[in-house]
Amino acid sequence: MTVRKVLANAAILLAGGVDPDAADVGLGERFNPRLDASLLLAKTLGLARHRLLASLSDQVTAADATVFDALLSRRLAGESVAYILGSREFYGRPFLVDHRVLVPRPETELLVALALGFLDSFAAHYGGPLRCHDACTGSGCVGLTIACQRPGLSVSLSDLSAGALAVAAANIRALQADGELLGAVDCLESDLLAAVPGTYCLITANPPYVDSTTTDVIFSGGSVEPRLALDGGADGLRLYGDLAAQAYQRLVAGGALLVEIGEEQGAAVAALFRQAGFRDVGVKQDLADQDRVVIGYKHEAD
Ligand SMILES: C[S@@+](CC[C@H](N)C(=O)[O-])C[C@H]1O[C@@H](n2cnc3c(N)ncnc32)[C@H](O)[C@@H]1O
């Protein structure tokens, strides 16, 4: 069978037996049968995706078809393509992922963009050297992207999960090997910032913020992401108060805390920031115009 035919059959299977080009097949926006099928077949054949699309008339061998069917079965069972491939692109770089970490989401790129903007204005105002810490780091996608984008900055990472830190350490090695990451990055096991020493001009975090009931629904739908990465307690806000209080103690004057939030949580998280002492607290929207990031500053006089 040709690559074209294998892809078409797989896309229909992934779309639940419906032609994915049909006008409305009721698929969620994260679910793209044609893209998923081509990513999995490219992985099977050891090709970059653009090379696969240049090979649509080639024959797929029986051995490759067997390997592809196994990957397709995992996708049909609900496993994320990122876990099957072992990698997900974030801010233009590949990050290794497995079941020990959350798959990086595109909306988290806003946290990075705002962090870079803050670091540039802090450096212009106060000079360097600058230190930044990323808590709840998971794969390390936020902290390591900041480190890659701003060489010379000192960056450290922490997470409560030893498994997540092992994935973050693998990403450090991979980015260093690719020449993307120039300096060393420390990884620490810590409950929020409890075991994180030193002071910082910027602390970032994307903590678990899904409420427990919704987390249960996500898991009943077959998700295999770590519960620790999603479940933010009864209202999803369990970690923000302690995180804000701990961050305030570790920030230098003029420093900032930047956190990702769920779209309904802006007002509540902003209030927790103010309670911890932060000033000029702001809620920022993502590309879908949803509240996504809260930022607060530690003033010089504080
Ligand atoms: C939503 S994931 C974010 C991962 C990554 N920063 C990202 O943006 O893709 C949340 C992370 O917080 C970690 N975590 C959960 N509770 C924690 C705690 N009390 N202290 C530190 N990390 C925690 C989880 O292990 C998980 O890696």
Side-chain angles (χ1 to χ4, degrees):
M1 206 183 290
T2 62
V3 165
R4 185 192 308 279
K5 186 71 181 155
V6 169
L7 281 178
N9 288 350
I12 289 172
L13 258 181
L14 286 169
V18 192
D19 181 346
D21 287 339
D24 179 9
V25 292
L27 302 173
E29 65 177 336
R30 288 177 192 284
F31 188 75
N32 184 333
R34 285 203 184 284
L35 177 64
D36 290 0
S38 62
L39 287 169
L40 296 178
L41 188 56
K43 162 105 173 159
T44 302
L45 302 178
L47 294 174
R49 195 168 153 258
H50 69 275
R51 288 294 314 272
L52 177 79
L53 299 179
S55 316
L56 292 175
S57 307
D58 292 359
Q59 291 293 317
V60 176
T61 66
D64 283 339
T66 305
V67 173
F68 178 65
D69 285 347
L71 300 185
L72 197 59
S73 301
R74 286 170 65 184
R75 183 67 190 119
L76 284 165
E79 191 171 352
S80 148
V81 173
Y83 284 153
I84 300 172
L85 300 178
S87 171
R88 170 55 54 91
E89 191 171 299
F90 181 80
Y91 223 90
R93 296 182 182 83
F95 279 82
L96 304 168
V97 292
D98 65 24
H99 295 98
R100 294 172 290 181
V101 295
L102 187 91
V103 175
R105 308 290 205 263
E107 56 268 31
T108 302
E109 294 186 348
L110 176 67
L111 185 63
V112 172
L114 291 169
L116 295 174
F118 169 78
L119 286 165
D120 292 344
S121 46
F122 187 95
H125 194 72
Y126 297 95
L130 306 185
R131 298 183 74 211
C132 163
H133 184 80
D134 180 43
C136 300
T137 199
S139 62
C141 61
V142 173
L144 293 177
T145 300
I146 292 170
C148 290
Q149 293 291 122
R150 294 291 181 273
L153 183 74
S154 166
V155 175
S156 53
L157 315 174
S158 62
D159 201 285
L160 185 59
S161 156
L165 289 170
V167 176
N171 277 314
I172 292 172
R173 290 191 294 274
L175 289 166
Q176 286 170 333
D178 287 349
E180 293 278 349
L181 181 62
L182 301 180
V185 174
D186 286 337
C187 286
L188 299 162
E189 194 170 323
S190 178
D191 186 352
L192 296 178
L193 300 169
V196 175
T199 54
Y200 302 88
C201 70
L202 174 66
I203 295 175
T204 54
N206 177 14
Y209 57 70
V210 181
D211 67 74
S212 300
T213 308
T214 307
T215 306
D216 289 341
V217 173
I218 291 171
F219 280 102
S220 67
S223 169
V224 289
E225 290 186 298
R227 188 168 192 111
L228 189 64
L230 292 174
D231 191 345
D235 55 4
L237 299 169
R238 183 171 55 91
L239 296 181
Y240 288 103
D242 286 348
L243 178 61
Q246 293 175 16
Y248 197 80
Q249 299 305 318
R250 286 161 180 78
L251 285 169
V252 299
L257 171 64
L258 270 161
V259 299
E260 183 168 317
I261 56 163
E263 49 260 33
E264 311 287 332
Q265 297 171 337
V269 174
L272 292 168
F273 269 45
R274 289 188 197 99
Q275 265 173 39
F278 286 98
R279 311 265 197 94
D280 297 331
V281 177
V283 181
K284 309 287 182 187
Q285 286 74 41
D286 62 19
L287 289 174
D289 215 21
Q290 305 279 2
D291 288 354
R292 187 58 61 199
V293 169
V294 173
I295 183 166
Y297 301 87
K298 179 167 178 169
H299 275 201
E300 290 185 52
D302 292 344

